[in-house]
Amino acid sequence: MKHRGALFLVFFMLLSVSIFSQNEDGKRYQLSQWKYISGNLNDGAPVTISVTNWHEFSLPTSLSLEGGFAWIHTSFDFNSIPFRQPYYVVLGRIDAAYEVYLNGSFIASRGRIPAERVQFSLPGNQSACFLLPPGLIKTSGQNQLLIRLFSPAHAVPLFPVEITDIAGAQFENQVVSFLNGTLYTILAVLSGFIGLYFFALWIARKSDTPNLWYSIAAISIALYFAEIGADATLLPYILNRAFAKACLSISMAALVQFFISFLAVKVPRWFSWLLIVIPLGITITYVINSKDLAIIGDVFNSALLFVQFCIVFIAIVTIRAIVKGNREAIPLLLGVILGVGLGTHDVIYSVLGKKPLVWLQGLGFFCLNISLFISLTIRSSRLHADLERYSKEVHKKTEQLSNFLEQLEQTTHAIASLSSDIDEDAVQAARSAEAMAQGAEQIRHGADRQVQAVLDSRQAIQNFTTSLDNVNSGVQRQAEGIKYSAESVSVVADAVAEVAAHMEQTARSAEALQESADQGLKASREMNDSIDKIKTLSGTIVDIVKAVEDFAERTNLLAMNAAIEAAHSGAAGKGFAVIANEIKNLAGASAERAGRIRDSIKEITSRIESSVTANERMTKALEGVSESSHLTLDSIVSIRNSLSAQRSATEELRRNLADLSEAARSIREETGKQKEDERNIESQIDELLRISDSLKQAIDAIVRENSRIVQMIQQLAKASGKGKRAVSTMKDLLESRTA
């Protein structure tokens, strides 16, 4: 309905123009024959027709001026006018100020002729219609009509002058003046308002360039229309006229830019520059020639070519947009068609140098405005529909966003709680890591002491080996002296039997120790492998030392018995007594060195126990103890068997000294076994050294790992702090959204 109403309004206006533009037959009398003389004769005082040098001319014509002035006159007979008084003279809309004299009397004027403190000016594009006073009209004879003209030009175009009745005067003053003057003032105000409205839209959204171009076009055409319809000017009249005429070219160039942007037409960059350069050149040309209205008119007629080009271009791009399926361009095409038609009408009259009854260019531009509003309304309706659809989608997305924010708020609280827990765990982990680092440092110091103890044990074992060599040499000498001690063998056999009994008890004790070691092994499966091997080797050394001490003790007893027997033998036993004394010395030396070894082993054992205390997780050391117990039991069984063999040998020695020699050989074999055990112990101590070095490296790695763990925990604490700040910021955002 809104579109149909706008079209109906346009049709009604065009119909009104066509009706009002009709002349009233028989009510007009044309004055076509005139005479003129150029210049300002008599300094503005009325001249008489008796002045010579008058030149005849017919209207319409272009009248030459001298200094901007000219006088014209004509005569008419009262009886030749085909209608009754009152009579009105219609001078039309000429670009000159003038004074009208009837039969030598001043009757009217239009505009201002320049004089002292008076500047030239013209009223708007309104028709000039003046009453011919009945008292001045001659009913018989010729009536003289004299007009003084001024225009700041070298020539002025004149149009037919008519005499009409009161109805014709009313038509000129009300209809023609309204359509050519007042209407353009109204259109200027409307166009200026529209231009400011679109300029405000562009200020609100500067990316929408069509609004800027249309605001420039509307404001420019408003200035052009204002010059046509307004009676007053802000600038000097001739400069105001030049600037207003230039605004038409500026408006059409901006309108082309608007259609290019509005219809998304792709044009070369140089074309857009031409739309700026050409209006600028036209404006400069107007300003340069702003001292002559006639030249301004010529420039205007030339600039109409650019205006007509813009109109044709707009029509082409509009038709092209419709062909491409742009429905919004259909109303624009109707407005363009009307604008082209009405504008072409004015262009033709301007080129011919004539003035139509009504200038239609304002109506054409108004029709274009209406079509543009219709197009914008269609686009607005479409955008409104899209906006409603988008609003529904936005509402739906808003609800989803609200649910997401609620979930996000819950997640935020959970993250905050988790961050607090992480902080507490990080503090505890840092403390634990520090404790672990201190423990690892203590273990490393213990490992260093353990390595030193192993080195000391190795030196002690080497000393023990030297002692065994000495023992072996003494046993060899004993074997040679046993041949002379046959009588004391029985006593030695008894002593060996007693030692065997003690060894039996020692075996049972070793079995009990084995059971205890097995129970300890079950309770300590988690001990460290390195400490296990150290314990095993230490136990083995202790067992060997015990065996050496037992052997030294038995040897000492044997030597005592041999000495006693040698004493009983008197002089015959002196040699045997010397041997017995030597064996006793060797046994004492062996016991002393075994004691030293035992002390060293005790020191090693205490250090091992200290290492076990420092690192409770080295539970695998008990496995070494279990293995040591097995070795100890095997050694004791081996020694018990050896003692049994020695006891049998002693029994045999009672019967034969050769059995005593066999016993000495058995002792030498046992010494060889001890050497072999010593070599095994040395290899195990070397293994223990390697294990200790590995343990130390592992502990160093643990210390470094603990340091890295501490750094990771510190980084975790920092990350937790950042998480807390992020959660706090998120809480603030959520609280501000809630507020």
Side-chain angles (χ1 to χ4, degrees), residues 213-214 216-217 220 246-260 271-280 282 306-307 309-311 313-314 365:
W213 292 119
Y214 191 75
I216 295 174
S220 300
C247 285
L248 178 62
S249 300
I250 295 173
S251 175
M252 295 307 299
L255 197 62
V256 171
Q257 292 280 23
F258 164 77
F259 274 85
I260 290 174
F271 184 80
S272 299
W273 279 106
L274 281 180
L275 293 177
I276 297 175
V277 172
I278 292 178
L280 181 61
I282 293 174
F306 174 71
V307 173
F309 166 77
C310 293
I311 293 173
F313 179 82
I314 290 173
F365 197 83

Side-chain angles (χ1 to χ4, degrees), residues 382-397:
R382 179 177 59 82
L383 293 177
H384 182 70
D386 295 339
L387 181 61
E388 288 183 351
R389 184 175 69 255
Y390 293 152
S391 298
K392 292 180 181 179
E393 294 179 358
V394 168
H395 180 69
K396 183 178 179 181
K397 297 295 183 182

